[in-house]
Amino acid sequence: MTALESRSKQKPQVFVSYASEDSATAKLIVEGLRSRDLKVWLDADELRPGDHWAKSIRTAISASAYFLFRQFKSEVHHHLTDPRIPHEEFDNLTIVSVDD
């Protein structure tokens, strides 16, 4: 099997972004996605003490096909406006907003 064939058989990853005050809702969304056998990246599950969080997040975004985020009516989500995360990281993503 070639590397291309191997990658094409891998499940696309969904990167889930949320505000910390909404972690309970984010976890419910992640459980629903995983129950449908989707590969999901959630910081609470993936980041460990001592990890370089910005690098880990950039790597996870780059490896993802989808970027799902909780959009609050009163704020613009921080990952989409964070200057430490280059906009080109989002070029190949399908962005999905889950509103209140």
Side-chain angles (χ1 to χ4, degrees):
M1 177 181 302
T2 69
L4 180 60
E5 289 171 329
S6 176
R7 276 196 304 269
S8 68
K9 292 183 182 197
Q10 294 176 355
K11 296 176 193 166
Q13 180 168 279
V14 179
F15 181 97
V16 176
S17 178
Y18 62 98
S20 59
E21 61 268 14
D22 199 32
S23 63
T25 300
K27 287 180 183 181
L28 287 173
I29 291 169
V30 168
E31 287 173 13
L33 293 170
R34 287 181 176 156
S35 74
R36 287 162 179 80
D37 204 28
L38 294 171
K39 182 178 176 185
V40 180
W41 192 96
L42 182 71
D43 63 349
D45 296 338
E46 304 295 336
L47 294 177
R48 301 289 174 248
D51 284 352
H52 187 274
W53 70 268
K55 181 179 178 184
S56 297
I57 288 172
R58 279 194 306 271
T59 300
I61 291 171
S62 293
S64 298
Y66 300 93
F67 185 94
L68 185 146
F69 69 100
R70 287 275 297 156
Q71 179 69 50
F72 291 93
K73 294 173 185 166
S74 61
E75 68 179 39
V76 174
H77 204 272
H78 63 279
H79 286 311
L80 297 178
T81 58
D82 189 333
R84 295 168 291 188
I85 300 176
H87 288 288
E88 58 269 11
E89 298 289 343
F90 298 100
D91 286 348
N92 296 315
L93 290 172
T94 299
I95 298 176
V96 180
S97 171
V98 179
D99 298 329
D100 276 348

